[in-house]
Amino acid sequence: MIKLFSVKDKQKQAAAAAATGKPKQSAGELRLQKDLTELQLPSNINIAFPEGREKPMHFEITIKPDEGYYRNGRFLFDFVISTGYPYDAPKVKCKTKVYHPNIDLEGNICLNILREDWKPVLSISSVVYGLQFLFLDPNPEDPLNKEAAAKFQENQRQFESYVQRSIHYGAQIDGEFFPPCAC
Amino acid sequence: MEDTTPIDSSERWIDIDKLLTRNGNLVGPGFEPGPELREFLQQDCKVLCIGAGGLGCEILKDMALSGFVNIDVIDMDTIDISNLNRQFLFRLQDVGKPKAVVAAERINARVPGANVTAHFGRIEDMPLQFYQEFTVIVLGLDSLEARRYMNSIACSLLEFDEEGNPDMSTIKPLVDGGTEGFKGHARVILPGVTPCFECTLWLFPPQTKFPLCTLAETPRTPAHCIEYAHLILWSQQRSHEEFDTDDEEHMQWVYSNALARAKQYGIEGVTFQLTQGVVKNIIPAIASTNAIVSAACVLEALKLITMCSTGLNNYMMYTGSQGIYTHTVAYERDPQCPVCSAGVEVVAPADSTLQQVIDLMLAHPQLGKMLAHPSVSYGSKQLYARGIYEEDSRPNLAKPVRELLEGDEPAALLTVNDKKLSASLRVRLRLKEPQQ
């Protein structure tokens, strides 16, 4: 226990010296800064700050897979980091309409590390890897898009042709139109 | 019936005086017993109670009855009918009014001499100078985020001397209380001395989050149905509206849709109360838990100011589900805490450029081993950063560091990141004027 206040030294209780104008930063922002400085993005992934560099809590990541079912497509992901980061996971939504077993029409993404498997030790890098992996290896178990998952399981060649067609020309699949998104 | 006893009657504070005017075996270091101590407490000290809800009402009552006079209270909420079973300063006719305002009125009316000032607003809207005026700040909050915010406020007031020791006069003590059903905690945070909130963030278990695909395709529990309505259906059907947990209609919408979903899958157990629990993380509150935790908190505030007894060191947990049990643990600070650690000191000539400062860091006996390609920031300003910011921030390397810091202070707390480091590192940069 330490003695902080003294009856005799009442000056301590008088209006304190003007607070130094030290820029205040939330712990979440501090940690986000660290993640962003360590982010090494390959040439097919870009980052942009729609609200400017001063608002790093909101950014967009564009992934252009160069192999796999989704090659040559251009997919935009919106990241919102709350003040609770890294305790709270980043909130990520897919802004490109895509035919994928694990991404629904509203842009919700079924990725374990974004929800139940998120740990504060993970980072933006880990999320970007996870998203890339989704394109290389879609997961038909526990899907958000049942029909896409079913097609992926029953006829992979046709699934691939649906995906490639929708990327390059746009396609009407299962009653929904997927606009082209080639890069 | 109003109590008309004048505040300076010696009979009135006889119990507090027993603690403040007599020496003993359990007193704190430097305890100065005497009548001046209560005078100091009542005339020169100002305390802040954050929150005027379950814990806040109890804290205000305890403070006023323990002899505190100058009390401020801040809360951004208004009174809801469900609060009335335990937030005893409020009555039925107060529903809809700001909690802080009504709480202050009631305490002032009931305890003669009490001077409670209410602030109806968010803690984030108050300037740093506001918090600096208080002797002790007691937290009666209900979220991790708000606690982290107050913690960063208190820690940002902390300054270090040349050896990296905390400057005692800049320590802003926080007493943090929290409750959840039958469980609660009270802890004392002395920035720079005890672990701050961030140092012990690992104490909190991860939140329960269900996989989206389970919610969409294979719900099994009532909670799954509720989250389906809350997260998936809402963004499908009402995406233009921001979901508001305080809006009765929004909550009812989620509840009725969850019920429909549950029926579809033959799942039982969806109730409105569960909906509130899952969506708002509400756990039913128990008045006795609040009373116990706030009493511990106010007692700690009294001890911190007067040294009348040994302080809590530094985290007490309470559980009342099977009897009454408390356990106190002395947690340790995280030496690398990004919010409260002193960091390593680096002394540089006042006219150094940023590149020269970075070179000094790399040559520093302690820092040099920990860094390879550092990124440096000052608050939220990136001075030089690797990765995606590298090209834009490279010109800063040639600029005088004083210009980048924009201040006349001879010392600045920088944050340094590096792939080699597991967490951000704080560096105390001291600029030395050249000898004349």
Side-chain angles (χ1 to χ4, degrees):
Chain A
M1 191 184 199
I2 51 172
K3 187 176 161 77
L4 289 172
F5 310 103
S6 171
V7 180
K8 297 180 190 101
D9 192 1
K10 289 190 186 180
Q11 279 94 344
K12 288 209 176 90
Q13 302 320 312
T20 52
K22 276 193 289 238
K24 226 186 329 92
Q25 212 188 10
S26 73
E29 270 177 48
L30 265 175
R31 173 51 204 275
L32 175 65
Q33 253 187 24
K34 172 177 157 62
D35 284 2
L36 289 177
T37 55
E38 287 174 7
L39 196 57
Q40 300 280 47
L41 296 174
S43 54
N44 64 326
I45 303 186
N46 291 101
I47 184 169
F49 293 88
E51 291 181 63
R53 286 280 162 85
E54 310 79 49
K55 298 255 169 83
M57 315 291 265
H58 177 210
F59 53 91
E60 288 172 347
I61 297 245
T62 316
I63 300 182
K64 295 185 255 195
D66 48 12
E67 50 172 333
Y69 307 99
Y70 293 87
R71 62 188 176 278
N72 303 321
R74 192 177 168 281
F75 306 100
L76 183 67
F77 292 91
D78 186 276
F79 281 66
V80 171
I81 312 292
S82 70
T83 47
Y85 186 74
Y87 182 71
D88 290 335
K91 294 188 215 349
V92 186
K93 284 193 94 142
C94 185
K95 291 293 194 198
T96 313
K97 199 166 176 195
V98 60
Y99 180 72
H100 191 294
N102 309 112
I103 303 179
D104 73 12
L105 300 170
E106 271 74 49
N108 294 313
I109 307 161
C110 192
L111 183 60
N112 61 333
I113 56 170
L114 285 177
R115 291 186 57 82
E116 72 275 16
D117 288 338
W118 169 260
K119 287 184 276 284
V121 76
L122 297 173
S123 66
I124 306 295
S125 256
S126 349
V127 178
V128 172
Y129 280 138
L131 291 173
Q132 269 190 296
F133 194 68
L134 269 186
F135 286 122
L136 291 173
D137 204 359
N139 180 8
E141 337 252 312
D142 272 342
L144 272 182
N145 183 334
K146 267 194 303 224
E147 294 89 5
K151 179 61 69 182
F152 182 76
Q153 278 180 312
E154 75 189 33
N155 190 337
Q156 249 178 37
R157 196 95 59 86
Q158 198 175 36
F159 176 84
E160 183 165 357
S161 91
Y162 277 10
V163 169
Q164 284 296 310
R165 192 147 42 91
S166 67
I167 287 176
H168 289 283
Y169 309 110
Q172 182 91 5
I173 312 173
D174 296 323
E176 276 294 330
F177 180 69
F178 295 89
C181 57
C183 53
Chain B
M1 188 167 57
E2 207 187 88
D3 187 339
T4 51
T5 320
I7 194 173
D8 53 10
S9 148
S10 58
E11 283 284 307
R12 183 172 174 202
W13 299 109
I14 197 168
D15 45 358
I16 308 290
D17 283 342
K18 284 203 167 74
L19 293 173
L20 303 184
T21 59
R22 313 182 309 178
N23 225 319
N25 294 333
L26 297 173
V27 301
F31 178 55
E32 303 160 298
E36 316 82 30
L37 195 49
R38 178 156 58 77
E39 245 175 58
F40 173 66
L41 176 73
Q42 297 188 312
Q43 291 167 17
D44 302 292
C45 289
K46 241 179 122 177
V47 287
L48 175 63
C49 173
I50 306 216
L55 275 171
C57 286
E58 298 276 352
I59 290 171
L60 287 171
K61 173 244 307 164
D62 293 340
M63 281 178 171
L65 294 177
S66 300
F68 290 87
V69 168
N70 304 307
I71 305 169
D72 279 46
V73 60
I74 180 170
D75 194 311
M76 62 180 187
D77 254 338
T78 54
I79 299 164
D80 180 68
I81 195 166
S82 63
N83 301 148
L84 300 182
N85 72 329
R86 65 200 180 278
Q87 298 174 25
F88 59 88
L89 296 174
F90 312 138
R91 298 286 177 267
L92 191 56
Q93 64 264 30
D94 300 321
V95 173
K97 295 190 198 156
K99 288 188 178 182
V101 172
V102 178
E105 266 169 29
R106 291 282 148 72
I107 297 276
N108 288 334
R110 181 68 179 78
V111 183
N115 179 17
V116 185
T117 312
H119 303 273
F120 174 39
R122 311 185 72 232
I123 51 177
E124 294 87 350
D125 294 339
M126 304 305 275
L128 196 60
Q129 290 84 336
F130 170 71
Y131 294 108
Q132 205 158 19
E133 294 166 17
F134 298 101
T135 319
V136 177
I137 302 178
V138 180
L139 311 183
L141 290 165
D142 59 358
S143 73
L144 265 185
E145 275 188 43
R147 287 185 173 90
R148 267 177 117 187
Y149 180 78
M150 283 312 303
N151 182 66
S152 71
I153 294 264
C155 291
S156 72
L157 292 169
L158 180 67
E159 287 177 26
F160 298 93
D161 68 14
E162 299 189 350
E163 271 100 67
N165 297 320
D167 179 356
M168 298 295 197
S169 66
T170 62
I171 293 182
K172 186 64 62 190
L174 289 183
V175 181
D176 172 45
T179 62
E180 201 175 76
F182 282 106
K183 299 187 278 207
H185 79 267
R187 67 189 296 185
V188 173
I189 297 179
L190 297 171
V193 177
T194 66
C196 78
F197 194 72
E198 208 73 20
C199 293
T200 53
L201 202 59
W202 52 267
L203 277 173
F204 294 95
Q207 306 167 317
T208 333
K209 287 260 195 289
F210 306 113
L212 280 179
C213 24
T214 307
L215 300 183
E217 299 299 323
T218 51
R220 294 178 296 279
T221 68
H224 291 160
C225 302
I226 294 166
E227 285 285 67
Y228 172 78
H230 171 219
L231 298 174
I232 299 187
L233 268 188
W234 185 273
S235 65
Q236 274 177 4
Q237 297 181 12
R238 296 174 72 158
S239 58
H240 49 280
E241 288 170 78
E242 169 118 23
F243 183 76
D244 181 4
T245 53
D246 289 323
D247 189 322
E248 177 78 23
E249 193 271 315
H250 291 193
M251 291 298 292
Q252 284 291 349
W253 188 95
V254 168
Y255 170 56
S256 46
N257 280 283
L259 213 48
R261 175 92 171 154
K263 218 174 220 161
Q264 201 191 344
Y265 282 84
I267 298 171
E268 305 217 354
V270 175
T271 61
F272 188 67
Q273 194 183 40
L274 184 66
T275 307
Q276 280 183 313
V278 169
V279 173
K280 291 164 95 158
N281 277 314
I282 286 187
I283 296 181
I286 297 168
S288 53
T289 314
N290 286 338
I292 291 169
V293 167
S294 61
C297 290
V298 173
L299 188 56
E300 285 316 307
L302 182 69
K303 288 191 274 178
L304 271 168
I305 293 176
T306 63
M307 296 282 124
C308 64
S309 188
T310 317
L312 179 87
N313 184 23
N314 50 51
Y315 186 106
M316 180 194 87
M317 62 85 93
Y318 155 79
T319 175
S321 51
Q322 294 174 320
I324 297 177
Y325 176 73
T326 69
H327 182 60
T328 305
V329 175
Y331 284 114
E332 289 181 352
R333 288 180 69 205
D334 177 359
Q336 303 229 322
C337 178
V339 174
C340 79
S341 65
V344 181
E345 193 193 44
V346 168
V347 183
D351 57 355
S352 305
T353 62
L354 182 58
Q355 180 67 64
Q356 288 170 329
V357 170
I358 292 181
D359 291 336
L360 277 171
M361 285 191 218
L362 289 169
H364 189 279
Q366 188 185 350
L367 280 180
K369 287 188 269 203
M370 295 164 39
L371 305 173
H373 301 289
S375 306
V376 181
S377 53
Y378 178 56
S380 45
K381 209 175 151 202
Q382 292 280 19
L383 301 182
Y384 174 64
R386 303 271 165 180
I388 54 179
Y389 299 118
E390 210 277 327
E391 238 183 283
D392 288 348
S393 57
R394 211 181 302 153
N396 285 344
L397 288 173
K399 293 193 189 156
V401 89
R402 199 176 238 168
E403 191 189 299
L404 294 168
L405 296 178
E406 285 170 30
D408 296 320
E409 291 159 47
L413 264 175
L414 303 174
T415 311
V416 175
N417 284 307
D418 194 303
K419 265 219 146 86
K420 271 176 94 169
L421 296 169
S422 57
S424 308
L425 186 64
R426 305 222 295 180
V427 166
R428 273 183 352 268
L429 176 67
R430 206 149 57 82
L431 296 173
K432 243 176 140 177
E433 292 295 340
Q435 304 290 50
Q436 271 341 69

